[in-house]
Amino acid sequence: MIRLFGNDTRRNMIALATVVGFVAAGSLSAHGQTRGGGSLNLVVASVDGEDFDPTLFRSAGQTTFYPLVFDALIKKDPETGELAPGLALSWDLDADGKSWILKLREGVKFHDGSDFTAEDAKFSLERYMGKFGAVPATGSERLANLITSVDMVDDHTIVIRSKDGAPTIPFDIASSEPGIAAGYMVPSDYVAKVGAEAFNKAPIGTGPFKFVSQDVGREMKFEANLAYWDTVPDVDALTLRIVPELAARMAQLRAGEADIMSGIVGPAIPQVEADSSLRVIPAPKGHIVYMVIGGMTNPDSPTSKAQVREAISLAIDRNAIVQHLLFGHGEPASLFSFPFAFGWPADADEFAPVYDPDKARQLLADAGHGGGFELTLYAATEGRDFAQAIAQYLETVGITVKLDIREISQVLAEARNDEGKQKPRLALIFGPTGSGARADTGGLLYTFLFTGESINQPHGDEELSQWVGDQAKAADPSARAQLISNVLKRARGINAIMPLYYVDSLFAAGPSVADWKPISGVGYPSNLNSVKLNK
């Protein structure tokens, strides 16, 4: 609001000049925040599927654009990595130990101007649980198994109830993590009005950007939501371009056609570091890279023997891979979790990976496979160099490796193929991140190691599976932490899943970017409403 001073012409001119100068320096949001304006151009290798409806979640790359349009009930604090209020201001465990009471933020608007209320939260969660049809492809089967009902107390309070107690629910609905999309809130009235198919093509959320258009396989366009309840984007518009070739992404960045580029791996890392016009922006521990082993429950498969699986682990020089292929932007992984996650064992150092090819050969001989055997190693295109290095390490101890390089979606499908699970094979996966839902190790382990729920190969250890199930229900934090610790160490002992190394997710920014801090542990561009451009 401009305050004028009656007939005092001089003071009125000063007041008007001050406002004009302020607006010229940057536009104002609906909340009075000064904004820089301009357009942000982002190039990525893939988004692994371009459905906007969160119930159609299929792959981690979709979390590049979901947080632009949608907000989660709970999110990750970019500074601390801890769970933080999103559309839910608070979440408290009820006295019964089985129900979570969530207080929702008031005054939040969807992009069409309608209010976000408890009705939308209930509707969204029930969609993920399959109340309106089959359990959707969101990774939320776990949520459907845990939650018995979502009840409205008032317009801004819901209660999430479980049968046996579910201490992980706040993590399971914190959707900054690839692997689950059950925290993103959608407008109940709008979805009911237009239908699921139309909603998928013209999505509406409460997020920092509004969807504008999509050229499938090429680009997506968004505009700033100036009425956003949190940090309003500093830019007017955002374009997300899909450019699979690393060289082409680099060329666009250098030419100023892109402001931020994701997917900096291998030799591209020193290239960016050597270019004074560019800079590397890391998200530490963006992924844990691991291998799943086929044939563990088939007695005719060499990999059903613990000595063989341990030999495979001992044959791989993880430190060399980190230094020569990751250029130091990572570290060897000992357990299938993250050191900052709940339940990380105090004695985790005792399980640090060892490189010992001589011992690997001896274990193979002890298992009756001194003459070696053959297996297939599946890897995604972007993991080719890592797969080739692993194959060479295995061949030095006598294991013949056939490489099968495919697109990431095909590698994941092959890893979960029921017939293939009985064969001696490996699948190299750039897997879960240390953020969001899976920062709670228990949720991570339930998805990957619980019998009947595992998305990878079966391990055949029923006691291990029982521990995983027990921790998901344990209300006492110390008891639950001990169960998780036991699971992590047992899983490492039998190599149910073979952790290899943590990878820092690396992004490159051009000279147009003045400031941006992605969320630590997130492997995809995040916190994009915080990007500030040079003017």
Side-chain angles (χ1 to χ4, degrees):
M1 182 177 71
I2 305 172
R3 180 187 177 191
L4 298 181
F5 299 87
N7 294 322
D8 190 331
T9 303
R10 180 177 176 275
R11 294 179 74 185
N12 288 342
M13 289 180 67
I14 293 173
L16 287 169
T18 300
V19 172
V20 169
F22 183 68
V23 173
S27 57
L28 293 174
S29 73
H31 302 296
Q33 300 174 11
T34 305
R35 302 175 54 255
S39 298
L40 173 65
N41 296 299
L42 176 71
V43 287
V44 300
S46 171
V47 292
D48 302 334
E50 290 148 293
D51 288 308
F52 272 88
D53 187 336
T55 64
L56 298 177
F57 172 86
R58 291 182 179 85
S59 190
Q62 290 169 275
T63 54
T64 300
F65 56 83
Y66 279 154
L68 301 178
V69 177
F70 305 106
D71 285 313
L73 290 171
I74 301 170
K75 62 181 184 178
K76 290 286 287 186
D77 186 306
E79 298 293 332
T80 67
E82 299 295 328
L83 293 184
L87 293 182
L89 287 169
S90 64
W91 48 97
D92 298 295
L93 191 62
D94 197 7
D96 65 5
K98 300 178 182 180
S99 305
W100 286 94
I101 303 170
L102 279 71
K103 295 289 186 180
L104 307 181
R105 196 178 295 274
E106 298 186 30
V108 175
K109 301 283 187 181
F110 283 105
H111 296 156
D112 63 354
S114 61
D115 292 321
F116 165 72
T117 68
E119 183 177 352
D120 301 299
K122 173 180 170 66
F123 173 77
S124 299
L125 291 171
E126 288 179 342
R127 284 185 92 215
Y128 302 123
M129 293 162 57
K131 182 172 181 178
F132 306 106
V135 176
T138 63
S140 60
E141 293 89 348
R142 167 175 163 74
L143 205 68
N145 290 335
L146 289 176
I147 297 176
T148 55
S149 68
V150 180
D151 301 324
M152 293 173 49
V153 176
D154 55 44
D155 283 348
H156 293 93
T157 308
I158 62 170
V159 179
I160 301 176
R161 305 188 189 280
S162 65
K163 179 181 178 181
D164 300 310
T168 65
I169 281 178
F171 295 93
D172 291 319
I173 59 175
S175 288
S176 58
E177 164 62 23
I180 192 167
Y184 293 116
M185 296 290 101
V186 303
S188 56
D189 288 345
Y190 177 74
V191 175
K193 178 181 176 181
V194 304
E197 184 176 350
F199 172 70
N200 188 39
K201 294 179 180 179
I204 288 176
T206 64
F209 290 91
K210 299 179 181 180
F211 173 78
V212 174
S213 64
Q214 175 177 200
D215 183 354
V216 175
R218 300 186 64 182
E219 70 176 23
M220 302 173 177
K221 289 185 176 293
F222 308 86
E223 65 181 18
N225 175 13
L226 300 184
Y228 189 48
W229 59 270
D230 199 359
T231 302
V232 175
D234 194 53
V235 298
D236 295 326
L238 184 152
T239 298
L240 175 65
R241 283 199 295 276
I242 302 164
V243 182
E245 298 79 15
L246 177 60
R249 296 199 302 279
M250 288 283 289
Q252 290 191 19
L253 189 67
R254 287 192 167 114
E257 298 170 3
D259 303 299
I260 294 173
M261 161 190 163
S262 70
I264 303 194
V265 295
I269 298 173
Q271 290 177 26
V272 173
E273 292 175 332
D275 191 327
S276 60
S277 68
L278 308 177
R279 71 182 190 274
V280 173
I281 299 180
K285 288 186 174 62
H287 292 282
I288 183 171
V289 180
Y290 66 96
M291 287 197 301
V292 291
I293 305 176
M296 288 184 63
T297 57
N298 179 3
D300 296 326
S301 168
T303 52
S304 66
K305 299 176 181 178
Q307 302 104 308
V308 171
R309 299 194 299 273
E310 182 63 15
I312 291 173
S313 180
L314 290 168
I316 300 170
D317 190 343
R318 293 166 173 80
N319 280 303
I321 289 175
V322 167
Q323 292 305 313
H324 299 297
L325 294 181
L326 296 175
F327 295 89
H329 290 282
E331 62 182 81
S334 55
L335 302 172
F336 190 62
S337 181
F338 297 85
F340 48 78
F342 179 81
W344 183 259
D347 57 350
D349 289 346
E350 297 179 13
F351 297 85
V354 175
Y355 173 55
D356 192 339
D358 290 335
K359 185 175 180 180
R361 294 185 189 95
Q362 183 60 54
L363 286 174
L364 289 173
D366 292 345
H369 295 284
F373 62 93
E374 295 183 0
L375 57 73
T376 301
L377 172 56
Y378 295 89
T381 305
E382 56 267 37
R384 182 189 301 271
D385 291 345
F386 301 95
Q388 289 175 339
I390 290 169
Q392 290 175 6
Y393 283 127
L394 296 182
E395 288 180 350
T396 62
V397 299
I399 300 174
T400 302
V401 178
K402 174 186 175 183
L403 282 177
D404 192 323
I405 308 297
R406 307 182 177 200
E407 292 302 314
I408 180 60
S409 59
Q410 296 176 327
V411 175
L412 291 170
E414 187 61 37
R416 299 164 190 170
N417 179 281
D418 287 338
E419 179 182 354
K421 289 179 180 181
Q422 300 303 311
K423 298 178 181 179
R425 62 181 191 161
L426 305 173
L428 177 66
I429 311 292
F430 281 71
T433 76
S435 66
R438 307 303 190 213
D440 180 272
T441 300
L444 174 71
L445 298 180
Y446 191 94
T447 301
F448 284 87
L449 292 173
F450 187 70
T451 299
E453 298 292 331
S454 175
I455 64 174
N456 292 313
Q457 269 73 348
H459 50 73
D461 188 329
E462 291 303 319
E463 185 175 37
L464 174 63
S465 182
Q466 182 65 48
W467 289 349
V468 174
D470 289 345
Q471 67 79 29
K473 303 173 185 178
D476 178 63
S478 60
R480 184 164 170 263
Q482 185 60 56
L483 283 166
I484 290 174
S485 176
N486 293 344
V487 169
L488 287 172
K489 292 186 284 189
R490 171 72 72 87
R492 171 62 187 89
I494 66 171
N495 284 297
I497 289 181
M498 189 174 294
L500 296 175
Y501 38 87
Y502 300 114
V503 180
D504 297 341
S505 288
L506 302 179
F507 308 95
S512 58
V513 177
D515 187 42
W516 173 48
K517 187 170 185 178
I519 300 174
S520 179
V522 176
Y524 300 88
S526 60
N527 204 29
L528 290 170
N529 52 312
S530 73
V531 175
K532 296 185 184 300
L533 298 178
N534 288 310
K535 301 298 178 185

